[in-house]
Amino acid sequence: MGDKANAHPGAAGRATAADHPASVRNVVLVGHSGSGKTTLVEALALTAGAVNRAGRVEDGGTVSDYDEIEHRQQRSVQLSLVPVDWDGYKINILDTPGYADFVGELRAGLRAADAALFVVSASDGVDGSTRMVWEECAAVGMPRAIVITHLEAARADFEEMTRVCAEAFGADDPDAVLPLYLPLHGEEGPDGHAPVTGLIGLLSQRLFDYSSGERKEAEPGPEQLPLIEEARNRLIEGIIAESEDETLMDRYLGGEEIDLKTLVQDLERAVARGTFFPVLAAAPATDGARQGLGTVELLELVTGGFPTPLEREAPTVTTPDGAARGVKACDPNGPLVAEVVKTASDPYVGRVSLVRVFSGTLRPDETVHVSGHGLTDRGHEDHDVDERVGALSRPFGKQQRALTHCIAGDLACVAKLNRAETGDTLSAKDDPLLMEPWQMPDPLLPLAIQAHSKPDEDKLSQGLGRLVAEDPTMRLEQNQNTHQVVLWCLGEAHADVALERLRNRYGVQVDVVPYKVSLRETFADKSAGRGRHVKQSGGHGQYAICEIEVEPLPNGSGIEFVDKVVGGAVPRQFIPSVEKGVRAQAAKGVAAGYPLIDVRITLLDGKAHSVDSSDAAFQTAGALALREAAADARIHLLEPVAEVTVLVGDDYVGAVMSDLSGRRGRVVGTEQTTGGRTLVRAEVPEIEIGRYAVDLRSLSHGTARFNRSYARHEPMPPQIAERIREQTQDA
């Protein structure tokens, strides 16, 4: 780490193919939008020698297009990989979106990484969504560290923000969230703000000065050491508390000076185990500078303190038919097990897949087996095919640098996997395997679309197929009841990006139309109807008369048809015709054009003609009879009701319950959960929660989550039903 006695940058530059998992570090950057993740990636790439100034690679290209605003905006909504070399290690830096709408990209980054850097802005603090991601990492034991950015902001206070982080992230043990360095400030400017010009190591008690634009190590002045004494003692005690050497604390309390090397080794072990979470500071390089403040320390933390892929427990692996299969974690010589963590379409090379190899070695031009989880409910096919791998590469701005291989523990971009989608498993063609899927949030914001023109209609299906292949958090629905094409998204920004990609990437222009819920109709009470279809216009005529009775049934009963005709009033061969006719009319609706459900239709009597009666005539008569019965009855308009569960912080429970009541919801129970949260259970009409994904985020400041599932259809309030009938008639 940067606090090692003889720390130095060592070899730095562009990342190449790794030859052993121990030389690889996979780290994901996590933080809310605006916390400075992408700027930090730029600064780390600059310090590692991958670029010669912020945003520029040595050959004049760009690293992930950092210098182009439009590509910065694109990067803000998707996972990206920036590999660099540092001191003999290959570091795969995974930059994730900060917007809650793109949590799928964040989950992909967490899946591909072995440790996480939580980026916290000194001016904004820790938001609720970042705390939730921290808890996700804690649940799986992922090692974490915290980087505080925006120290140049007015009133930025590193010590105060460290306290906030300990409070937010160290609920179980605040002494496990401690700084490794304290910032040094230069002279105050006219605005009274003193810029951060360097860091002082709490363990080594060495000063690292960045004021010249390049890191220089020096002895601290005598006036500076007393300033760090309290923080240093607390850090040492925190490290010793996590040490595997149980005698260390007694020796320390007995007055023994613990060797710096021992402290650093124990610190690195505790970080790698995920039991100690160091806090660091970072700032981008100023114009003309070669290194950003704190970047060397960060890179040394990643290489020295974060675990190797060998230390990560591999996800569960089975055969495609579900049989358990043991695979040794991260063995380059083992069976091939790799996972597509991201899929993107490139206009020049086609589909490009970002792949994390968990076992074996992936090589270009070999044939692999692609296994998928069959997310058919989200528009994904169940893959079980062989595909030939195209070129392997690593991203370097707009270019892809060719790789000869990708070993277990490393990441690479794979070209021309035309069937593989995000979340699919790659394995040997003669030994197909399937990794357990990572958890994906349910998309709960519906976006109903239709093609803008006939040419767009021809391209829409293919464009939508490519869109959902890239993004497993998006669900494509062809609603058979409302006849709408619906994209289910995670939020408004997610929906906007989907429309933009359809338009610009796939050349499909679509119009957004109001989303319809699946309404139904039913009879409120018993009614009777007579259908008479008699026509004679010369030649063969049409003759059919039937009398029916309709009565309501309990919820979920569907349509029940009963034959009670006696004496052959309706010939036996025409009774199925009557049933077909009433069922066809029921599907069309009898009042507002919505399907009729939960009724018993009884055929009581009728008349036929020996020559003019026919199947078609009795179908028509059955439909007429049902319409007449409906005209004399009260018809309920039924709306779907959803079971909704909301997991929300205790501070927002009252606001959430009040909001649900305002949506005609019925709260059926609450349940206290861990972490100061409450689970609220309610039943809410679906027509009232079309935008609940957006509204709940605003109501809870992004800290609440909800799920919904269909419960039943029930009668709609008369005034609302009447308004919908009027809208239907106007349409």
Side-chain angles (χ1 to χ4, degrees), residues 591-604:
Y594 298 104
L596 179 71
I597 61 171
D598 298 338
V599 293
R600 177 184 294 120
I601 302 170
T602 303
L603 177 61
L604 300 173

Side-chain angles (χ1 to χ4, degrees), residues 265-505:
Q265 288 176 343
D266 280 345
L267 171 63
E268 291 177 342
R269 293 190 191 103
V271 172
R273 287 198 308 269
T275 58
F276 189 84
F277 315 105
V279 182
L280 298 94
T286 56
D287 290 343
R290 291 184 54 192
Q291 294 173 332
L293 181 139
T295 52
V296 171
E297 288 74 18
L298 268 176
L299 289 167
E300 291 180 343
L301 169 69
V302 170
T303 55
F306 280 171
T308 72
L310 293 166
E311 299 170 71
R312 176 176 179 177
E313 184 177 344
T316 302
V317 177
T318 66
T319 61
D321 58 5
R325 174 69 184 276
V327 174
K328 184 179 178 181
C330 206
D331 179 6
N333 298 314
L336 177 64
V337 182
E339 186 172 49
V340 179
V341 295
K342 178 177 174 59
T343 308
S345 295
D346 186 280
Y348 302 106
V349 298
R351 184 174 291 185
V352 177
S353 304
L354 177 60
V355 172
R356 161 77 190 251
V357 181
F358 287 89
S359 174
T361 299
L362 186 64
R363 293 182 172 84
D365 300 322
E366 69 177 340
T367 300
V368 298
H369 188 80
V370 179
S371 301
H373 294 282
L375 298 173
T376 52
D377 63 321
R378 298 196 182 187
H380 298 258
E381 58 182 310
D382 190 2
H383 293 141
D384 195 15
V385 298
D386 290 340
E387 277 205 270
R388 188 176 181 84
V389 173
L392 296 185
S393 61
R394 64 170 184 80
F396 202 69
K398 295 178 180 178
Q399 306 173 30
Q400 296 287 331
R401 299 289 176 84
L403 293 175
T404 57
H405 61 278
C406 183
I407 64 167
D410 203 359
L411 289 94
C413 292
V414 181
K416 298 181 180 178
L417 286 176
N418 296 320
R419 297 290 298 279
E421 299 181 354
T422 302
D424 285 356
T425 302
L426 309 183
S427 54
K429 66 176 182 178
D430 55 352
D431 187 14
L433 298 172
L434 182 64
M435 295 178 64
E436 66 174 348
W438 71 81
Q439 185 182 8
M440 281 294 181
D442 251 347
L444 296 170
L445 180 69
L447 182 73
I449 59 173
Q450 63 185 23
H452 181 71
S453 64
K454 183 62 172 71
D456 293 313
E457 190 173 333
D458 296 337
K459 296 183 290 185
L460 181 60
S461 178
Q462 184 180 32
L464 289 173
R466 291 179 177 177
L467 192 67
V468 298
E470 295 180 11
D471 188 354
T473 64
M474 188 172 292
R475 178 160 61 90
L476 175 62
E477 177 189 9
Q478 305 272 356
N479 193 303
Q480 300 301 315
N481 296 315
T482 63
H483 307 291
Q484 285 188 317
V485 176
V486 183
L487 277 176
W488 288 85
C489 305
L490 295 174
E492 287 182 311
H494 195 201
D496 289 344
V497 167
L499 295 176
E500 185 273 334
R501 287 178 178 169
L502 279 175
R503 180 173 58 252
N504 295 335
R505 189 178 295 179

Side-chain angles (χ1 to χ4, degrees), residues 463-579:
L464 289 173
R466 291 179 177 177
L467 192 67
V468 298
E470 295 180 11
D471 188 354
T473 64
M474 188 172 292
R475 178 160 61 90
L476 175 62
E477 177 189 9
Q478 305 272 356
N479 193 303
Q480 300 301 315
N481 296 315
T482 63
H483 307 291
Q484 285 188 317
V485 176
V486 183
L487 277 176
W488 288 85
C489 305
L490 295 174
E492 287 182 311
H494 195 201
D496 289 344
V497 167
L499 295 176
E500 185 273 334
R501 287 178 178 169
L502 279 175
R503 180 173 58 252
N504 295 335
R505 189 178 295 179
Y506 305 122
V508 183
Q509 186 77 29
V510 297
D511 297 324
V512 178
V513 297
Y515 170 69
K516 300 176 182 177
V517 299
S518 301
L519 301 180
R520 297 288 186 268
E521 299 172 354
T522 196
F523 278 63
D525 42 36
K526 186 181 292 188
S527 181
R530 184 172 188 267
R532 183 176 186 276
H533 183 62
V534 178
K535 288 188 177 182
Q536 188 69 46
S537 56
H540 191 69
Q542 299 179 53
Y543 189 97
I545 298 175
C546 63
E547 296 180 4
I548 64 170
E549 183 181 75
V550 184
E551 57 187 314
L553 291 177
N555 195 326
S557 300
I559 300 289
E560 184 180 327
F561 183 82
V562 178
D563 169 24
K564 286 190 176 181
V565 174
V566 295
V570 177
R572 306 309 305 167
Q573 69 268 28
F574 294 132
I575 290 176
S577 303
V578 176
E579 180 178 1

Side-chain angles (χ1 to χ4, degrees), residues 91-110:
I91 306 174
N92 290 313
I93 305 172
L94 292 152
D95 187 11
T96 63
Y99 294 104
D101 283 9
F102 305 100
V103 67
E105 303 279 334
L106 169 62
R107 298 274 174 85
L110 293 173

Side-chain angles (χ1 to χ4, degrees), residues 51 175 609:
V51 296
D175 288 333
H609 189 277

Side-chain angles (χ1 to χ4, degrees), residues 197-333:
T197 58
L199 302 169
I200 186 166
L202 294 181
L203 292 183
S204 65
Q205 302 184 89
R206 300 287 292 173
L207 189 151
F208 305 102
D209 184 7
Y210 283 86
S211 60
S212 66
E214 189 168 348
R215 182 178 187 260
K216 295 180 180 179
E217 187 175 343
E219 288 281 350
E223 75 284 358
Q224 293 169 322
L225 289 179
L227 300 177
I228 70 167
E229 182 177 358
E230 181 180 347
R232 184 175 191 270
N233 290 339
R234 191 178 177 196
L235 174 62
I236 291 174
E237 290 172 7
I239 294 171
I240 291 174
E242 298 296 335
S243 175
E244 296 175 348
D245 185 349
E246 297 179 356
T247 68
L248 205 57
M249 182 61 79
D250 292 335
R251 289 158 50 195
Y252 173 73
L253 295 177
E256 180 179 336
E257 185 73 23
I258 306 300
D259 180 61
L260 175 61
K261 182 178 179 181
T262 300
L263 289 173
V264 170
Q265 288 176 343
D266 280 345
L267 171 63
E268 291 177 342
R269 293 190 191 103
V271 172
R273 287 198 308 269
T275 58
F276 189 84
F277 315 105
V279 182
L280 298 94
T286 56
D287 290 343
R290 291 184 54 192
Q291 294 173 332
L293 181 139
T295 52
V296 171
E297 288 74 18
L298 268 176
L299 289 167
E300 291 180 343
L301 169 69
V302 170
T303 55
F306 280 171
T308 72
L310 293 166
E311 299 170 71
R312 176 176 179 177
E313 184 177 344
T316 302
V317 177
T318 66
T319 61
D321 58 5
R325 174 69 184 276
V327 174
K328 184 179 178 181
C330 206
D331 179 6
N333 298 314

Side-chain angles (χ1 to χ4, degrees), residues 2-40:
D3 223 9
K4 294 178 181 177
N6 298 312
H8 59 85
R14 303 172 181 172
T16 55
D19 293 319
H20 193 277
S23 65
V24 177
R25 299 291 186 275
N26 299 309
V27 57
V28 60
L29 270 62
V30 177
H32 66 80
S33 178
S35 61
K37 297 186 301 297
T38 300
T39 303
L40 180 59

